[in-house]
Amino acid sequence: MQKHLSFVIPVHNEEATLKLLFEKIQIVMTQTRIDNYEVIFIDDGSRDYSWREIIDLARNNPKLIKAIKLRRNFGKSAALAAGFRNSSGRIIFTLDADLQDDPAEIPRFLDHLELGFDLVSGWRKQRNDPISKTLPSKLFNTVACLVTGVQMHDMNCGFKAYRQEVLASIKLYGELHRYIPALANNLGFKIGEVVVEHHSRKHGKSNYGWERYARGFLDLLTVLATTHYLQKPGHLFGGLGLFFGLIGTVSLSYLIVIWFLNLGGMNFGPIGNRPLLFFGILCTIMSVQLISLGILAELMARNVNADYVDKQICEIIDDSNIDI
């Protein structure tokens, strides 16, 4: 039986907050008179007693809780992907287990989904985190929104609500969970934001550091390639090839002019030992290689693009899901 709501919650060393978080979700569900829901806890290689807490909650609430344990710490994207695969809700929430996200905000997400949005993301307008987290997060959001073209204030917020079809169209790996709004926007889904209250962390410590932003920016390049250039890879490699080709042409043209001036009696010195000569040749070779790679990528992408159109960007509507 399909659930109305699924709550997918990755857990990593959060034993002190799990029971209270579940109780808060139960209170909100009772207040909103929703009894058809499930809570999925994914233990992402915790080293404390988080798994024991999850098992105890699942035994006491077998109809409401699903417990998933990863063999080791694979990261948030892997944990979320495992939760999504095992969820049955028509609407799927993600929130962190540290109680900084307030389940009392859930009705506001549902209201925004009713307005026609397919994905609603939380906006932590007032963050209760140290500057060591808020500053790189602001930089990350600014760069990510600029590169992807998605106009959001807080793409990195873990408190989100999705329609099931959004997550069915996206594959998560690496650090791509941060870019789900960009991936969904590229597929034509409607993205919204809602301001949420952000609480200070009272239990445990943050599991993330500066290194996650380095990995995140590398994944940003992946998102850029798979969203803007998935159906036209030749434009990516060909554009880079033309760029390097232009630099190489200008460099070598300058040296050719000097060579002719030397023949005319002027003394500008030999060009054979100039670093600019080797730089120009290198840029020209890179240009040819990148353009060739772009042509091969276009040939390989022809069959992939056909499946992409059929399976991901088409919304099939029949009589069963048309509102009269």
Side-chain angles (χ1 to χ4, degrees):
M1 178 180 178
Q2 188 176 41
K3 299 289 186 180
H4 181 59
L5 298 181
S6 293
F7 296 93
V8 176
I9 305 173
V11 177
H12 184 66
N13 299 332
E14 305 287 359
E15 60 175 311
T17 61
L18 297 178
K19 183 177 180 180
L20 182 57
L21 175 60
F22 177 65
E23 291 174 351
K24 286 178 175 288
I25 293 175
Q26 280 186 303
I27 292 173
V28 176
M29 292 296 95
T30 300
Q31 292 173 344
T32 53
R33 298 181 180 179
I34 298 176
D35 56 6
N36 190 17
Y37 67 95
E38 63 183 359
V39 179
I40 305 174
F41 288 110
I42 308 97
D43 182 14
D44 184 23
S46 296
R47 295 184 299 273
D48 61 0
Y49 293 105
S50 294
W51 180 242
R52 186 177 67 181
E53 290 293 323
I54 293 172
I55 290 298
D56 289 342
L57 287 171
R59 287 172 178 168
N60 295 329
N61 305 273
K63 295 183 179 180
L64 296 178
I65 293 181
K66 290 182 179 178
I68 300 174
K69 182 177 177 62
L70 304 187
R71 292 189 178 93
R72 64 172 178 83
N73 179 229
F74 285 95
K76 194 171 183 178
S77 286
L80 288 173
F84 295 153
R85 285 195 302 270
N86 289 275
S87 64
S88 58
R90 292 189 294 111
I91 295 173
I92 300 172
F93 279 85
T94 60
L95 63 161
D96 294 333
D98 54 14
L99 288 180
Q100 290 191 270
D101 298 327
D102 193 344
E105 307 278 2
I106 291 171
R108 301 181 62 204
F109 282 83
L110 296 175
D111 290 341
H112 275 66
L113 288 173
E114 288 295 324
L115 295 176
F117 292 105
D118 300 300
L119 187 161
V120 179
S121 179
W123 173 16
R124 298 164 294 185
K125 196 171 184 178
Q126 297 292 332
R127 286 193 63 173
N128 288 297
D129 280 325
I131 192 172
S132 60
K133 289 187 67 176
T134 57
L135 183 60
S137 182
K138 287 182 179 180
L139 176 62
F140 167 83
N141 279 299
T142 300
V143 174
C145 292
L146 182 65
V147 171
T148 61
V150 179
Q151 299 303 314
M152 295 182 65
H153 296 89
D154 193 2
M155 188 183 296
N156 201 28
C157 180
F159 200 177
K160 291 182 174 69
Y162 311 82
R163 296 190 187 277
Q164 185 184 47
E165 53 268 29
V166 175
L167 298 174
S169 305
I170 296 173
K171 292 183 179 180
L172 289 184
Y173 57 90
E175 302 286 332
L176 291 186
H177 63 276
R178 298 185 181 88
Y179 303 107
I180 293 180
L183 297 171
N185 180 73
N186 179 66
L187 295 176
F189 292 107
K190 192 174 180 181
I191 313 300
E193 259 187 321
V194 57
V195 177
V196 296
E197 184 176 359
H198 186 249
H199 299 285
S200 58
R201 190 180 184 101
K202 297 180 179 179
H203 303 279
K205 63 178 181 178
S206 176
N207 298 307
Y208 303 103
W210 281 83
E211 70 280 356
R212 72 166 180 160
Y213 293 103
R215 297 194 302 267
F217 279 117
L218 291 177
D219 281 317
L220 179 59
L221 299 178
T222 301
V223 171
L224 179 63
T226 56
T227 55
H228 290 70
Y229 299 104
L230 180 62
Q231 299 184 70
K232 45 185 180 181
H235 290 200
L236 173 61
F237 296 107
L240 290 172
L242 291 175
F243 172 74
F244 284 107
L246 178 61
I247 295 177
T249 301
V250 171
S251 301
L252 295 178
S253 296
Y254 170 73
L255 293 176
I256 291 174
V257 171
I258 292 178
W259 184 73
F260 276 111
L261 291 175
N262 285 336
L263 291 179
M266 298 183 184
N267 185 16
F268 287 92
I271 66 171
N273 58 357
R274 296 195 180 199
L276 187 61
L277 175 63
F278 300 102
F279 177 74
I281 295 173
L282 176 62
C283 287
T284 303
I285 294 174
M286 288 182 62
S287 174
V288 174
Q289 290 180 328
L290 287 169
I291 293 175
S292 301
L293 183 60
I295 295 173
L296 291 175
E298 286 284 353
L299 294 174
M300 295 175 63
R302 291 185 63 185
N303 294 331
V304 175
N305 287 342
D307 294 338
Y308 175 83
V309 172
D310 290 340
K311 297 179 180 179
Q312 288 190 287
I313 67 175
C314 294
E315 180 180 4
I316 308 301
I317 300 178
D318 55 28
D319 293 341
S320 63
N321 55 18
I322 296 180
D323 295 329
I324 305 299

